[in-house]
Every structure is written in structure tokens, then in C-alpha cells.
């Protein structure tokens, strides 16, 4: 896929049950163009989950893999249908080149200007800044003064309370994990409430 088509928001599903993952993707009805969804590779049976969700929702929703730490995990995730790979850590140049051959978007994680520069020079499509809430929204604007316009994603502590601050400071994307939903709504598989939480997130941006 082309990075230009990557959605503004990414939902991070870490250790969700199959039923919870299914409920979240159902809750995205009508918002499919705004959200991507990642299944983290440290989730139980992550590869199988990525494959199953892609078979059911892949035509409408962009589904990928998160917490991709090794080349072997990358290959397994892409073979399962992941359309993007995302991590809290940097990718090797070989990992980025392989993803490009498979037409998969790369989103490595960084924390410092040097790491941002390295991942950009390796050809990463989007660069994830993590943990964003600790680094602060101003980092996103400040880093682009010396390094130029970059596709940056804020991940880590982002919620509907602070999401606008990251966009105001020139982050182009956000990734949201446990702050995306009310825990009880997720536990009870309340699709209507899960959907409303996603709507609220977009409106607060």
C-alpha cells in the first residue's frame, strides 16, 4: 500500500481476546478510512489473529502488526496479511527494504533526534515517537525544524484529552492503545459504546 493512504489513527490491540478484537473492528463501521488496527506480536497467537481478522475485515480495514522486533516476526506478520509493521524500536535497513518489496508500510519506533534521522535515512515510511507523552508534544514540531518535514506518529499515553496537542505540534498520526476505550465496554463487547469512543477520539482531534 502507499503511505499516502495510511489513516491518521492507529488502534493498538495488545493481548486482546479474539472476541474483543472482533468487537473493535465491528465498532469501526463507518470509520474505516480513519483508522488502522494493529495486533501486537506479543499477543497470544498474534499471527493467527492477524490472518483471521484480515480474512474477515481486510477488504475494508487496514490491519497490521505491532511490536515487531525481529526480521522473522516481520516475515511471519507479512505472510499472515499484515499491511504495515510497527514497533517501539528501530528497524534494520534490511527489514525496511524487505517491507518495501512486499509493499508493506514501515513504522519503526524512536525516541531521539539521531534515531529519527537514522530511520528516515533508511527509508521508513512513518516514524513512531515513543513514549510520546513523556517526550512531549513540542518534540514533534521542534524536530522538524532541523530535519525537515517528516511523517511522525505519536504513541504512548495519547488519549482524547491530549490528542489535539500532538496534532497542533505537527504530528501527522497517532497510535492509541488502552486509552482508546472504556475497559468495561471492551470487557462486555459493547460495540455501540466502542464505536462512540472512536467517534469522540476523532472529534477531540
Amino acid at each position: 500500500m502507499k503511505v499516502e493512504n495510511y489513516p491518521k489513527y492507529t488502534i493498538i490491540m495488545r493481548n486482546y481476546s479474539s472476541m474483543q478484537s472482533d468487537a473493535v473492528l465491528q465498532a469501526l463501521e463507518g470509520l474505516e478510512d480513519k483508522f488502522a488496527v494493529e495486533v501486537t506480536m506479543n499477543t497470544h497467537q498474534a499471527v493467527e489473529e492477524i490472518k483471521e481478522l484480515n480474512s474477515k475485515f481486510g477488504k475494508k480495514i487496514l490491519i497490521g502488526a505491532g511490536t515487531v522486533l525481529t526480521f522473522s516476526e516481520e516475515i511471519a506478520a507479512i505472510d499472515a496479511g499484515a499491511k504495515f509493521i510497527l514497533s517501539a524500536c528501530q528497524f534494520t535497513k534490511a527489514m525496511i527494504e524487505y517491507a518495501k518489496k512486499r509493499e508493506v508500510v514501515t513504522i519503526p519506533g524512536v525516541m531521539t533526534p539521531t534515531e529519527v534521522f537514522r530511520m528516515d535515512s533508511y527509508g521508513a515510511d512513518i516514524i513512531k515517537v515513543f513514549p510520546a507523552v513523556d517526550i512531549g508534544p513540542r518534540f514533534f514540531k521542534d524536530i522538524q525544524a532541523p530535519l525537515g518535514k517528516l511523517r511522525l506518529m505519536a504513541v504512548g499515553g495519547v488519549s482524547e484529552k491530549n490528542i489535539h496537542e500532538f496534532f497542533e505540534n505537527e504530528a501527522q498520526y497517532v497510535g492509541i492503545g488502552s486509552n482508546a476505550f472504556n475497559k468495561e465496554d471492551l470487557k462486555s463487547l459493547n460495540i455501540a459504546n466502542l464505536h462512540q469512543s472512536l467517534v469522540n477520539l476523532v472529534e477531540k482531534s
Side-chain angles (χ1 to χ4, degrees):
M1 68 165 294
K2 294 182 178 180
V3 67
E4 291 80 7
N5 297 327
Y6 193 88
K8 193 173 180 179
Y9 310 88
T10 299
I11 297 298
I12 301 164
M13 301 196 302
R14 189 184 308 279
N15 295 322
Y16 282 22
S17 69
S18 294
M19 293 177 68
Q20 289 173 331
S21 297
D22 194 271
V24 169
L25 271 75
Q26 287 187 60
L28 282 169
E29 186 173 358
L31 300 169
E32 295 92 345
D33 62 329
K34 299 183 184 300
F35 287 88
V37 177
E38 69 164 274
V39 176
T40 65
M41 290 297 283
N42 57 353
T43 295
H44 180 61
Q45 294 187 322
V47 172
E48 291 78 5
E49 188 71 12
I50 291 168
K51 189 179 295 184
E52 177 65 25
L53 291 174
N54 263 300
S55 67
K56 190 171 182 180
F57 300 99
K59 290 183 179 179
K60 290 185 176 182
I61 300 171
L62 191 66
I63 300 165
T67 317
V68 177
L69 303 177
T70 66
F71 208 155
S72 60
E73 286 182 344
E74 173 186 11
I75 293 169
I78 294 173
D79 285 347
K83 302 300 187 296
F84 62 92
I85 56 168
L86 196 152
S87 183
C89 305
Q90 299 176 73
F91 290 147
T92 65
K93 192 172 184 179
M95 290 173 73
I96 291 174
E97 289 174 346
Y98 178 79
K100 287 186 182 299
K101 289 179 182 177
R102 299 289 299 270
E103 299 183 338
V104 168
V105 169
T106 51
I107 313 173
V110 304
M111 193 179 182
T112 68
T114 299
E115 293 171 346
V116 172
F117 180 78
R118 182 183 296 120
M119 291 299 96
D120 186 52
S121 67
Y122 282 3
D125 295 302
I126 299 169
I127 298 171
K128 166 183 168 178
V129 178
F130 174 84
V133 74
D134 295 321
I135 297 170
R138 275 294 301 273
F139 178 88
F140 292 82
K141 185 174 183 178
D142 291 347
I143 196 66
Q144 295 181 79
L147 297 184
K149 187 68 174 175
L150 297 164
R151 291 188 175 95
L152 301 178
M153 177 185 289
V155 182
V158 179
S159 69
E160 68 172 61
K161 295 179 180 179
N162 62 20
I163 192 170
H164 66 283
E165 296 179 40
F166 290 99
F167 287 129
E168 286 172 359
N169 281 279
E170 300 182 17
Q172 291 183 283
Y173 310 90
V174 294
I176 307 167
S178 58
N179 289 329
F181 307 109
N182 180 291
K183 291 181 180 179
E184 287 303 313
D185 292 337
L186 191 61
K187 189 176 180 180
S188 63
L189 309 177
N190 190 320
I191 294 170
N193 284 1
L194 293 172
H195 176 82
Q196 189 58 50
S197 291
L198 295 170
V199 171
N200 292 344
L201 202 62
V202 173
E203 290 180 347
K204 293 287 185 179
S205 303

